[in-house]
Amino acid sequence: MTRLVIAVDGPAASGKGTIAKRLAAHFGLPHLDTGLLYRAVGWRSLQTGESPAEVAARLGPADLDDPALRSDEAGQQASKVGAIPEVRTNLLKFQREFSSQPTGAVLDGRDIGTVICPDAPVKLFVTASTEVRAERRYRELRAQGVDTIKPRVLAEMAERDRRDSERAAAPLRAAPDAWLLDTSDMDADAALAAAVAFIERKGFRAAGP
């Protein structure tokens, strides 16, 4: 049986992180949110003044535990440092070692199927309309107590999409063999069910009890 590595890519607020976590639980695999790596690099660089490339070269698992990495500011910093080729190069080893575990793995990000795990047997590209993603992000921010307005969130979402898609280093795009999952009209359960069904059609089954 082929070792199950699931590469989940997609833009911000598409639902890829939730899907990846739940797929990992369903199939009994370790999960890595690679966006946290870039959030950690961007946040630490912002706080210390160190160059993002230097931070990326020394990043370890413990650096991913800071609750501040879930903030919107950390997300914006992640998008900025993610455009720096040296940062991506310095984080490549961390991600590939995670994906090479004997158990298999689930990784989500923006270049998993194209750069990090181009040979993954399962590749998903999770997306949704910009308006739907902005609404999701707006609700998330309001739930966190952040005072913002929908037009601002939509503008920031569009700018981040542009930055991620147009960068020279590993731009956000679907791998040619990735399965497109549009979650615009799906809740989390429906999206998970669709992803599981696709993976099972490829011959993989959930881990036993």
Side-chain angles (χ1 to χ4, degrees):
M1 183 67 178
T2 303
R3 192 169 59 91
L4 179 55
V5 175
I6 304 175
V8 185
D9 290 307
S14 60
K16 69 179 183 297
T18 299
I19 291 171
K21 287 178 188 175
R22 295 184 68 178
L23 285 175
H26 183 84
F27 289 101
L29 300 172
H31 166 246
L32 177 64
D33 172 3
T34 66
L36 270 183
L37 304 179
Y38 293 93
R39 284 172 176 261
V41 170
W43 186 249
R44 174 169 287 190
S45 178
L46 182 67
Q47 300 301 309
T48 66
E50 296 176 90
S51 78
E54 290 175 343
V55 175
R58 299 194 307 273
L59 200 70
D63 297 315
L64 307 182
D65 296 333
D66 188 346
L69 301 185
R70 295 296 181 182
S71 69
D72 196 49
E73 185 176 12
Q76 293 296 328
Q77 290 300 317
S79 182
K80 293 174 182 177
V81 302
I84 302 172
E86 293 81 5
V87 169
R88 307 198 77 85
T89 297
N90 289 345
L91 293 177
L92 188 63
K93 182 172 182 286
F94 186 112
Q95 296 172 84
R96 285 190 170 160
E97 285 182 350
F98 188 93
S99 70
S100 66
Q101 296 178 75
T103 56
V106 180
L107 295 86
D108 71 87
R110 285 169 173 74
D111 64 345
I112 309 304
T114 55
V115 176
I116 306 303
C117 304
D119 297 324
V122 175
K123 298 178 186 178
L124 306 177
F125 191 84
V126 183
T127 189
S129 71
T130 306
E131 291 74 19
V132 167
R133 292 188 293 113
E135 175 67 22
R136 290 172 180 170
R137 186 59 180 151
Y138 171 76
R139 291 181 180 178
E140 181 181 1
L141 290 171
R142 294 293 292 180
Q144 294 172 358
V146 177
D147 185 17
T148 189
I149 57 175
K150 289 183 182 180
R152 179 184 302 157
V153 175
L154 181 60
E156 290 175 350
M157 183 75 68
E159 171 59 21
R160 186 169 181 184
D161 287 350
R162 183 199 63 76
R163 195 161 55 227
D164 291 346
S165 299
E166 295 180 2
R167 67 189 180 211
L172 168 66
R173 62 182 176 85
D177 54 346
W179 183 61
L180 181 65
L181 176 58
D182 189 328
T183 66
S184 297
D185 299 316
M186 292 182 177
D187 62 16
D189 289 341
L192 175 66
V196 168
F198 168 73
I199 295 169
E200 288 182 342
R201 289 197 297 271
K202 297 178 80 68
F204 295 99
R205 293 290 181 268

